[in-house]
Amino acid sequence: MNISDIPFGVTDWSQIERSEHAGETGMAYWRTQVFGALRVRMVEYSAGYLADHWCHKGHILLCLEGELHTELEDGRRFVMTAGMSYQVADQAEAHRSSTPGGARLFIVD
């Protein structure tokens, strides 16, 4: 990752407009900022959320609260709790998220 041409800034995530994204079940709520080529998001998944697609985008993801279940298209599964993170490159391994009780995430992609 090459981060360039982004001046110092502070983000108050509570002031960023929230967008809604329906999953196969449940909802995802994104607060999104774009800095050059970087998209940075604070994401909340409702209880019972299941993504409606396999994602091929690369991410660095940090679980802030709750429990996130990540399934790879090849069948591997991972459970992440607060303080755990994952990273995956663009087009590397398709993945999708779900959560039984809800989760709050910080994602850079």
Side-chain angles (χ1 to χ4, degrees):
M1 177 185 317
N2 181 14
I3 301 174
S4 61
D5 300 320
I6 301 172
F8 179 85
V10 174
T11 301
D12 179 349
W13 290 100
S14 69
Q15 299 301 307
I16 305 301
E17 185 176 339
R18 185 175 88 162
S19 60
E20 296 183 355
H21 306 266
E24 187 173 305
T25 59
M27 294 293 294
Y29 304 99
W30 298 7
R31 296 179 192 273
T32 305
Q33 292 284 78
V34 176
F35 305 103
L38 294 177
R39 178 176 68 170
V40 180
R41 297 178 286 158
M42 188 72 68
V43 174
E44 294 180 48
Y45 290 150
S46 68
Y49 176 80
L50 171 63
D52 64 352
H53 65 284
W54 289 99
C55 182
H56 297 273
K57 178 80 177 129
H59 313 286
I60 298 172
L61 179 149
L62 171 64
C63 183
L64 299 171
E65 294 176 6
E67 182 177 283
L68 178 70
H69 295 204
T70 300
E71 178 184 5
L72 301 186
E73 200 169 30
D74 67 10
R76 288 179 289 159
R77 296 173 184 266
F78 302 88
V79 176
M80 298 191 351
T81 57
M84 296 177 72
S85 65
Y86 78 70
Q87 54 285 327
V88 64
D90 290 336
Q91 308 303 318
E93 294 170 290
H95 50 280
R96 69 177 175 177
S97 297
S98 64
T99 178
R104 189 163 65 98
L105 316 167
F106 184 77
I107 305 171
V108 178
D109 51 26

